[in-house]
């Protein structure tokens, strides 16, 4: 579907943001009870109530072009403690892939020890725009998974090409939203018809354009 992107976005690699979100846009702590309880968030681990073979298959399909990971510090630490030990069984293909590809970690901690072996881990965040440009030059598909705090920075600076949202049919009320008040106003376009599994979880894939929202009055 590369022909759906503006021509200037086809000359280099792409930055893809992959998020699990509630229907009211909360993307905080979907994967485990201790993943992210900051701000008094009560529902960390909310994804557990929706086991689905359909979601797993679609996630694996979406990862086929991935050749680098770009993660926030919290998500990196979670992945680094989990995926090196899960390269067999149901999630084996993803575990093997994640362990093999280069990892980029957005953190202000210059002394952070990056111990995830495999493709190697590199700290970024000194000049994010330049570092993202270098990633585009070096990779075909750089996936940002979870990392909601870091995603807010990418959305505010327009440093992404695609947003893939797994929308779950539940309302969480409070929590970190996918799009906060600092998101750069922009027009997205739907890349393909939505996919919905047996649990009502829906995948929405949006591509970024250079357009900004237009305003007017209906007559």
């Amino acid at each position: 579907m590369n022909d759906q992107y503006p021509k200037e976005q086809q000359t280099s690699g792409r930055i893809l943001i992959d998020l699990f979100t509630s229907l009211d846009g909360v993307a905080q702590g979907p994967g485990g009870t201790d993943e992210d309880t900051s701000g008094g968030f009560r529902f960390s681990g909310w994804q557990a109530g929706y086991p689905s073979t359909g979601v797993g298959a679609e996630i694996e399909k979406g990862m086929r072009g991935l050749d680098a990971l770009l993660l926030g510090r919290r998500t990196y630490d979670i992945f680094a403690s989990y995926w090196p030990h899960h390269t067999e069984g149901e999630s084996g293909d993803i575990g093997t892939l994640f362990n093999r590809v280069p990892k980029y970690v957005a953190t202000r901690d210059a002394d952070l020890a990056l111990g995830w072996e495999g493709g190697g881990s590199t700290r970024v965040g000194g000049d994010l725009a330049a570092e993202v440009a270098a990633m585009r030059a070096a990779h075909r598909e750089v996936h940002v998974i979870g990392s909601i705090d870091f995603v807010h920075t990418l959305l505010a600076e327009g440093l992404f090409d695609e947003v893939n949202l797994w929308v779950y049919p539940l309302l969480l009320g409070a929590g970190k939203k996918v799009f906060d008040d600092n998101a750069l106003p922009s027009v997205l376009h739907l890349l393909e018809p939505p996919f919905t599994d047996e649990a009502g979880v829906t995948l929405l894939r949006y591509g970024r354009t250079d357009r900004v929202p237009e305003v007017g009055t209906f007559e």
Side-chain angles (χ1 to χ4, degrees), residues 2 5 17 19 24 34-37 43 47 84 112 139 148 184 188 194:
N2 284 350
Y5 288 90
I17 297 173
L19 291 173
D24 54 342
D34 59 351
E35 180 178 344
D36 186 356
T37 59
F43 296 108
Q47 190 183 9
L112 175 65
H139 303 287
I148 185 62
L184 183 70
L188 306 182

Side-chain angles (χ1 to χ4, degrees), residues 73-96:
R73 168 69 184 277
R74 185 195 301 270
T75 301
Y76 174 83
D77 287 343
I78 292 171
F79 279 24
S81 66
Y82 180 85
W83 286 114
H85 313 292
H86 292 80
T87 57
E88 298 180 0
E90 185 175 341
S91 300
D93 290 344
I94 291 181
T96 299

Side-chain angles (χ1 to χ4, degrees), residues 39-87:
F41 185 60
R42 298 184 295 133
F43 296 108
S44 190
W46 53 264
Q47 190 183 9
Y50 291 86
S52 169
T53 55
V55 167
E58 286 297 314
I59 289 174
E60 286 199 15
K61 185 169 71 174
M63 297 295 173
R64 289 174 185 167
L66 181 156
D67 58 350
L69 285 169
L70 173 57
L71 305 171
R73 168 69 184 277
R74 185 195 301 270
T75 301
Y76 174 83
D77 287 343
I78 292 171
F79 279 24
S81 66
Y82 180 85
W83 286 114
H85 313 292
H86 292 80
T87 57

